[in-house]
Structures are given as structure tokens and as C-alpha cells.
């Protein structure tokens, strides 16, 4: 069974007279099933064996209405969040706690990441760094979109609230 990520990049509007958080970007439009990022950041589906940075924080009490409505359905689990500042200050050199549970294998002439079938394959597993995981279009797009919002709302006014099915 696969796991999907949901949630929003939220912004805190100060110029309305209220300190409410509002959904700005639905992150399901950015992320697919990237278990390495899920594990590295949130501890969900963690085959790369990282100590998660932002796991089990729960929903912010002041989160936007879209998120509150999602949770009324009872379909989601593992709610958590991180600020923009926390996200961009991640030590990309930090290593996982153990080798990746998967290895690269040839399957039908294509190199894919899969679970090892033997001790010899397990010995090929590599210990990943956060930098290995936090590269590529999904993460780069997320950070770029958040940085645009930071220009308007400030570092303390932009956060990512995430949850999973």
C-alpha cells in the first residue's frame, strides 16, 4: 500500500488585523510518493533510515480551515509541520542512522531502487546524507515557492503543514 502526502504551505496574514493562517499552496500538487523525503523530514515511510527532523508535531492549533476540514474526515494521520526557516537551515551533510533499506538493482534492463534479495545485495546499501535526499524538482520547487512567500510574509509567516494517508 502506498503512502501519499497532503497539506498546505500556509501564510500568516498580518495586514488584515487578524493573526490567522491561510492556505497558500496545496502541496499535493508538488509531491508524489517520495518516501526518502517523507522519512528524512517527518519519519513516515523511512527506508533511508534518518532521524526525522519534524516528526510527530501534530497539527498547529491555529492551522487554516482547509486542514481542519481535511482532518474532520478521519482519513489522515501523522500530522506535523515545519517553518520555512527550519526547512532551509537543514544540515545537508548529516547522515542517516543506518544504510538505506534499499539498493539499486537492474530490473528488465532498468536500474531501480528496490529491497535487497540477498546479503550480498544488502552489503551494497549506502548511508545517505540529507543532501542526497533533499535535491530534485519536488524539494526545490517547495523551497522556491516558500521563498517567494517569505518575501511578502516574512520567515515567521510561512510554514508547511503535512499529513499522510
Amino acid at each position: 500500500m502506498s503512502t501519499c502526502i497532503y497539506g498546505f504551505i500556509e501564510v500568516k496574514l498580518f495586514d488584515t488585523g487578524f493573526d490567522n493562517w491561510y492556505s497558500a499552496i496545496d502541496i499535493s500538487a508538488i509531491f508524489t510518493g517520495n518516501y526518502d523525503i517523507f522519512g528524512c523530514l517527518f519519519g513516515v515511510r523511512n527506508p533511508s533510515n534518518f532521524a526525522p527532523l519534524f516528526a510527530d508535531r501534530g497539527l498547529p492549533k491555529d492551522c487554516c480551515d482547509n486542514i481542519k476540514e481535511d482532518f474532520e474526515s478521519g482519513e489522515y494521520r501523522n500530522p506535523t509541520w515545519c517553518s520555512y526557516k527550519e526547512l532551509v537551515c537543514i544540515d545537508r551533510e548529516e547522515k542517516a542512522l543506518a544504510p538505506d533499506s534499499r539498493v539499486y538493482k537492474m530490473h528488465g534492463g532498468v536500474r531501480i531502487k528496490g529491497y535487497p534479495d540477498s546479503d550480498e545485495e544488502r552489503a551494497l546499501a549506502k548511508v545517505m546524507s540529507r543532501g542526497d535526499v533533499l535535491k530534485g524538482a519536488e524539494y526545490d520547487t517547495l523551497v522556491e515557492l516558500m521563498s517567494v512567500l517569505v518575501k511578502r510574509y516574512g520567515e515567521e509567516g510561512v510554514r508547511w503543514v503535512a499529513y499522510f494517508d
Side-chain angles (χ1 to χ4, degrees):
M1 182 174 183
S2 65
T3 299
C4 295
I5 190 170
Y6 302 89
F8 293 88
I9 298 170
E10 293 183 309
V11 295
K12 190 170 188 178
L13 303 180
F14 294 103
D15 57 358
T16 64
F18 301 100
D19 284 345
N20 295 334
W21 287 87
Y22 293 89
S23 59
I25 299 168
D26 183 338
I27 59 96
S28 61
I30 300 169
F31 282 94
T32 57
N34 191 323
Y35 293 171
D36 289 326
I37 289 177
F38 297 178
C40 174
L41 299 179
F42 306 119
V44 173
R45 293 281 186 153
N46 193 1
S48 43
N49 297 307
F50 282 98
L53 297 172
F54 315 117
D56 303 320
R57 290 182 167 182
L59 286 181
K61 291 186 183 344
D62 57 355
C63 66
C64 69
D65 291 340
N66 299 52
I67 294 170
K68 290 175 186 171
E69 290 168 12
D70 277 354
F71 266 83
E72 286 174 6
S73 73
E75 294 177 41
Y76 303 105
R77 59 185 173 81
N78 303 99
T80 193
W81 62 275
C82 63
S83 71
Y84 170 79
K85 188 174 184 177
E86 290 174 312
L87 204 58
V88 297
C89 290
I90 292 171
D91 177 2
R92 290 173 175 259
E93 300 300 315
E94 184 180 353
K95 298 283 187 185
L97 301 174
D100 193 326
S101 301
R102 300 151 305 163
V103 293
Y104 284 103
K105 302 163 65 163
M106 293 304 289
H107 183 71
V110 177
R111 187 174 181 243
I112 62 166
K113 207 169 202 181
Y115 291 94
D117 296 321
S118 67
D119 288 339
E120 291 170 339
E121 284 184 351
R122 238 180 306 292
L124 299 174
K126 145 184 178 181
V127 175
M128 297 175 72
S129 71
R130 293 196 194 276
D132 293 333
V133 171
L134 301 176
K135 62 181 179 184
E138 291 174 325
Y139 184 78
D140 292 345
T141 300
L142 173 81
V143 171
E144 188 173 338
L145 289 169
M146 289 178 82
S147 70
V148 170
L149 294 170
V150 162
K151 291 176 186 171
R152 169 67 174 89
Y153 300 102
E155 283 186 346
E156 300 303 317
V158 179
R159 70 182 176 197
W160 176 16
V161 178
Y163 40 96
F164 302 83
D165 63 5

